[in-house]
Amino acid sequence: MNASGLGQHYRKYSRFNAADAEFHQTIVASANNQVFSQAYQDLQPHIHYARLYLSRGVEEEAQVTAEHQAILKGFRDGDGTAARDAVIAHLEAARSRLLKSAAIARARVGEARRPKKR
C-alpha cells in the first residue's frame, strides 16, 4: 500500500484499493468461514463505490497502512487480543473517515443546489 503513491490519479488509487482489498480478504479468509468470506467479497464493490463517489480525494494512506501493520503484527505475534483491538481501531477510524467524507460531499451538493446570488 505504501508503494501505491496514492493520489488523485486513478491508477494509483486502483493500486491502493487492490492492496487494501487483498489485505482485508486475507484476514477474512483466515477465519476459514466460507460464508463470511463470500459476504466480504460481495461487499467489495460497494466499499469502492463509497470511496469514489463520496469525494474522498486522497485517502490517509500512511494512517491506513499503519492500521493494517498493527493488525498484521497481532496476527504474526499470535496475539489475538492485539489483533482484535487493532481491527476494531481500524474499523472505527475507517468509519470516521468515511463519515467525514460523506459530510463534505453532502455540503458540496448543498452548495451546488443553492441559488446563486445576483
Side-chain angles (χ1 to χ4, degrees), residues 61-82:
E61 180 180 8
Q63 183 179 358
V64 171
T65 300
E67 292 164 9
H68 284 187
Q69 288 171 344
I71 294 167
L72 189 56
K73 183 177 183 331
F75 271 85
R76 285 185 174 155
D77 292 349
D79 186 343
T81 301

Side-chain angles (χ1 to χ4, degrees), residues 9-25:
H9 194 277
Y10 174 78
R11 286 189 189 127
K12 291 178 181 180
Y13 187 80
S14 179
R15 283 193 300 265
F16 180 86
N17 273 338
D20 184 65
E22 182 179 355
F23 177 82
H24 285 262
Q25 186 59 52

Side-chain angles (χ1 to χ4, degrees), residues 4-18 47-53 56-59:
S4 70
L6 186 59
Q8 295 289 346
H9 194 277
Y10 174 78
R11 286 189 189 127
K12 291 178 181 180
Y13 187 80
S14 179
R15 283 193 300 265
F16 180 86
N17 273 338
I47 292 168
H48 297 305
Y49 294 150
R51 286 180 176 158
L52 286 170
Y53 293 110
R56 291 188 75 153
V58 176
E59 189 165 355

Side-chain angles (χ1 to χ4, degrees), residues 65-112:
T65 300
E67 292 164 9
H68 284 187
Q69 288 171 344
I71 294 167
L72 189 56
K73 183 177 183 331
F75 271 85
R76 285 185 174 155
D77 292 349
D79 186 343
T81 301
R84 181 200 64 216
D85 291 348
V87 166
I88 291 169
H90 176 53
L91 291 173
E92 288 174 348
R95 179 185 66 194
S96 177
R97 286 188 293 269
L98 188 58
L99 290 174
K100 180 181 175 184
S101 294
I104 291 168
R106 280 192 301 272
R108 287 180 183 160
V109 168
E111 289 172 12

